[in-house]
Amino acid sequence: MGKARIKEVFLLRAVACFSIVFLHSFSQVFGEDYGWIGALRLLLTFGTPAFILISEIVLANAYSSHTPKGFFKKRLRYIGIPFLCFVIIYNIQSMFSSDGVRDVPGMIKQFVFSLLLGETPAYFVLIIFQFYLLHMFFVRHIFNHFRPQWILITAGLVNILYLAFFNFVSAPDTQLANFIWLRFYRMPFFAWVFYFVVAYYLGKNYNTYLKRLLQYQYFVYVSVLLSASASIYLMEQGILPVITSKRFDMIFFTVSSVFMLLILAAKLKAIPSYIVKISQYSFGIYLFHPLVLVVCEHILPFHNSIIGLSIIFALALGGSMGAVATLHRFSWGSYIIGRIGIGIDMKHPNEQKTNERTQSVIPLKINP
């Protein structure tokens, strides 16, 4: 199956990108987690799982029954290599921080942990690669052999119970257990499998399910409000005080929010050009914005300031986009920062430029 344009994904990806950059900017400017600050920070965490949902929606829409030849090779080139580059960059940046590791064994250990265990801000790339493997496995052995409702129920139960275990059960008093409970439990696909299954069915039958979402749009809006209220309540009551997207209750808020954004995008006659641009640059923004924020923290130490937050957010977003655009002026840039995504016309910017250059050298045919 060839690629189909899902225009709503541009808005969804842009909003997810906005939420992640805003969350990290917000955390840098506002240190407290109480009241409306904590509530807003919690809801903004939906950005990372939304990104993960988007990857499978697009993949399932294009390849619902197979993966083409060279599928992994292409993604290793433009997603895997940039991930490796930023693992190195993040480790160098960490080495020069006040509490950075500078001895050789410590640096090697930190690099391995970053590369294989997701100990970097770009850990979601490892999860997406798990989704690529899951997609190949589920298409061959699961999706065509069991009813969708049973797959959804099973995946939902596994995902909720897995996260709930780590949310409610305290870690044993060992270094390994503390590491697993604090960081590693987010890496295995059990923490994201419901997102994967929902995204697969949505992407495979996109037009059909979009019509259903539009038909039940008010139910979706209510679901967003109820799930958001429930998550905030659990946090404020100290039942689930931690602010993270890896809470079992955030599954409901994330999925319903993604549905809502698809509904709202479908109502637009056209996706604004700046939204498309943010969507195209989103992968590079995700990778680069933590570095911009580190610089801002040293030269613009704003604290508890809405104006400061606005400035930091604008710099993080604009600086990341500028870095992406600059690197893409070089032939090797896409291996560092990833490719700029496709536009509404389903072409990458470099493909558009190639076509323009080709057309410009075609001689005019003049009739005698």
Side-chain angles (χ1 to χ4, degrees), residues 159-160 163 194-195 247-256:
N159 207 155
I160 291 170
L163 292 180
F194 184 65
Y195 296 118
R247 292 169 37 145
F248 79 93
D249 55 311
M250 286 299 292
I251 293 175
F252 305 101
F253 175 71
T254 298
V255 172
S256 58

Side-chain angles (χ1 to χ4, degrees), residues 2 19 43 73-74 94 106 131 197 200 210 223 243 253 294 328 341:
S19 72
L43 299 183
K73 181 180 179 181
K74 181 178 179 181
S94 176
F131 273 26
V197 173
Y200 172 82
L210 183 60
S223 298
I243 295 178
F253 175 71
V294 169
H328 271 270

Side-chain angles (χ1 to χ4, degrees), residues 23-235:
L23 170 64
H24 295 159
S25 302
F26 200 90
S27 300
Q28 183 166 304
V29 176
F30 292 88
E32 303 88 353
D33 288 334
Y34 59 83
W36 69 272
I37 295 176
L40 180 58
R41 286 189 60 212
L42 176 63
L43 299 183
L44 286 171
T45 63
F46 100 101
T48 296
F51 256 118
I52 294 169
L53 268 163
I54 293 166
S55 69
E56 180 58 25
I57 290 173
V58 173
L59 181 61
N61 184 259
Y63 311 116
S64 62
S65 60
H66 73 290
T67 49
K69 185 178 180 180
F71 172 81
F72 249 95
K73 181 180 179 181
K74 181 178 179 181
R75 281 151 182 81
L76 283 171
R77 287 175 63 188
Y78 296 116
I79 299 177
I81 294 177
F83 171 71
L84 174 61
C85 290
F86 270 83
V87 165
I88 296 172
I89 292 170
Y90 287 139
N91 275 266
I92 293 173
Q93 178 266 318
S94 176
M95 184 176 64
F96 287 100
S97 64
S98 59
D99 57 347
V101 177
R102 295 180 178 85
D103 60 288
V104 174
M107 288 190 293
I108 293 174
K109 178 182 178 181
Q110 183 170 298
F111 175 78
V112 172
F113 271 50
S114 299
L115 183 65
L116 302 179
L117 302 180
E119 290 295 286
T120 73
Y123 72 92
F124 83 101
V125 175
L126 294 178
I127 296 166
I128 288 176
F129 269 97
Q130 288 184 65
F131 273 26
Y132 294 153
L133 295 173
L134 278 180
H135 183 85
M136 298 173 68
F137 177 80
F138 271 58
V139 163
R140 293 178 183 177
H141 304 291
I142 303 295
F143 288 133
N144 295 324
H145 296 84
F146 301 93
R147 292 185 177 182
Q149 56 266 37
W150 289 115
I151 298 175
L152 283 165
I153 291 172
T154 302
L157 288 174
V158 167
N159 207 155
I160 291 170
L161 292 174
Y162 177 83
L163 292 180
F165 174 80
F166 288 101
N167 291 162
F168 291 115
V169 177
S170 299
D173 190 17
T174 66
Q175 185 176 359
L176 176 60
N178 286 326
F179 170 72
I180 293 173
W181 257 254
L182 183 63
R183 306 286 289 177
F184 182 71
Y185 80 97
R186 68 186 180 180
M187 295 308 300
F189 70 88
F190 301 111
W192 311 91
V193 66
F194 184 65
Y195 296 118
F196 168 78
V197 173
V198 168
Y200 172 82
Y201 286 117
L202 182 58
K204 180 183 178 181
N205 308 287
Y206 183 74
N207 291 328
T208 299
Y209 283 116
L210 183 60
K211 290 178 181 177
R212 291 187 184 180
L213 289 175
L214 289 167
Q215 182 180 357
Y216 296 104
Q217 59 183 297
Y218 296 107
F219 175 79
V220 173
Y221 300 152
V222 171
S223 298
V224 172
L225 291 174
L226 290 178
S227 58
S229 300
S231 293
I232 293 171
Y233 176 81
L234 290 172
M235 182 189 67

Side-chain angles (χ1 to χ4, degrees), residues 270-305:
I271 304 297
S273 58
Y274 72 92
I275 292 294
V276 174
K277 183 68 70 175
I278 296 293
S279 173
Q280 289 180 282
Y281 281 63
S282 60
F283 182 65
I285 293 170
Y286 201 127
L287 290 178
F288 203 86
H289 82 273
L291 301 176
V292 180
L293 289 175
V294 169
V295 175
C296 290
E297 186 177 15
H298 287 86
I299 64 175
L300 298 170
F302 292 112
H303 297 291
N304 302 322
S305 168

